[in-house]
Amino acid sequence: EKVGIDFFATPFDNTAVDFLEEIGVEFYKIASFELVDIPLIEYVASKGKPIILSTGIAEIEDIELAIDACKRMGNLDIALLKCTSSYPAPIEEANMIMVQDLATRFGVISGLSDHTMGATVPVVATCFGAKIIEKHFILDREIGGPDASFSMNEEEFTAMVKAIRE
């Protein structure tokens, strides 16, 4: 709260949603692999908070079903993130025109969930209208983990934010 970072979480089941409601989550992100979990999306949407849907493994029909689930629950505060579900994602598969396509096709805010190396793809995504950039952050790569190689440290993240704002 001191530095103005919004608190959000990615629930994987209804019990996680209930817990997140208790601690005051401000909005939700549905991970790519949960985009087809319509009951979960409906439950999250029923909370009336903004929802970010990641589209990494989705076909257009999957995205339509997820958006319809939100709307059925009366939640129109929806954003879609273009995502390439690889760790790390090859830059050749970024397909940033999809950021613009998602916004136009579905009439929502669009953005990027980025798993590529570096800041090029997030910067390009803003040129295609991305309003949200999700980039993995790590304090120390020595910790390891499946996303350590493409996560940004504080210096890299700061440089990316500066480049996006420019």
Side-chain angles (χ1 to χ4, degrees), residues 1-8 23-26:
E1 289 177 0
K2 270 199 312 197
V3 296
I5 295 174
D6 293 329
F7 174 54
F8 79 97
I23 62 172
V25 73
E26 297 175 34

Side-chain angles (χ1 to χ4, degrees), residues 79-82 98-100 102-103 108-112 128-132:
L80 294 173
L81 300 184
K82 163 58 178 94
M98 286 300 298
V99 170
Q100 187 176 39
L102 290 170
V108 297
I109 290 171
S110 67
L112 171 70
F128 284 107
K131 304 294 184 217
I132 300 168

Side-chain angles (χ1 to χ4, degrees), residues 111-127:
L112 171 70
S113 175
D114 185 43
H115 303 141
T116 63
M117 303 292 285
T120 301
V121 171
V123 171
V124 171
T126 61
C127 296

Side-chain angles (χ1 to χ4, degrees), residues 6-31 34 40 43-45 47-52:
D6 293 329
F7 174 54
F8 79 97
T10 302
F12 297 103
D13 63 26
N14 289 3
T15 61
V17 176
D18 294 339
F19 170 73
L20 292 167
E21 284 295 302
E22 287 177 22
I23 62 172
V25 73
E26 297 175 34
F27 60 96
Y28 289 94
K29 179 189 175 230
I30 301 296
E34 272 65 55
L40 175 63
Y43 193 62
V44 168
K47 303 305 175 188
K49 295 180 178 172
I51 301 174
I52 299 170

Side-chain angles (χ1 to χ4, degrees), residues 92-166:
E92 304 81 38
E93 295 177 16
N95 196 13
M96 287 297 84
I97 194 72
M98 286 300 298
V99 170
Q100 187 176 39
D101 182 67
L102 290 170
T104 303
R105 183 186 302 239
F106 297 106
V108 297
I109 290 171
S110 67
L112 171 70
S113 175
D114 185 43
H115 303 141
T116 63
M117 303 292 285
T120 301
V121 171
V123 171
V124 171
T126 61
C127 296
F128 284 107
K131 304 294 184 217
I132 300 168
I133 301 293
E134 176 191 39
K135 185 73 172 176
H136 293 224
F137 181 85
I138 195 164
L139 295 173
D140 180 359
R141 284 196 184 86
E142 298 300 315
I143 296 169
D147 62 350
S149 69
F150 64 87
S151 296
M152 291 184 156
N153 63 27
E154 182 180 358
E155 181 181 296
E156 294 163 334
F157 198 88
T158 299
M160 178 192 70
V161 171
K162 183 178 183 291
I164 287 170
R165 288 180 176 159
E166 288 173 354

Side-chain angles (χ1 to χ4, degrees), residues 16-95:
V17 176
D18 294 339
F19 170 73
L20 292 167
E21 284 295 302
E22 287 177 22
I23 62 172
V25 73
E26 297 175 34
F27 60 96
Y28 289 94
K29 179 189 175 230
I30 301 296
S32 296
F33 291 95
E34 272 65 55
L35 191 72
V36 295
D37 187 345
I38 299 303
L40 175 63
I41 292 171
E42 289 176 335
Y43 193 62
V44 168
S46 75
K47 303 305 175 188
K49 295 180 178 172
I51 301 174
I52 299 170
L53 304 169
S54 189
T55 64
I57 62 166
E59 300 288 335
I60 293 298
E61 296 79 21
D62 299 323
I63 299 168
E64 290 170 345
L65 289 171
I67 289 173
D68 289 346
C70 294
K71 290 179 178 179
R72 257 193 320 280
M73 302 312 291
N75 192 325
L76 306 179
D77 200 352
I78 304 163
L80 294 173
L81 300 184
K82 163 58 178 94
C83 177
T84 304
S85 292
S86 315
Y87 279 22
I91 197 166
E92 304 81 38
E93 295 177 16
N95 196 13

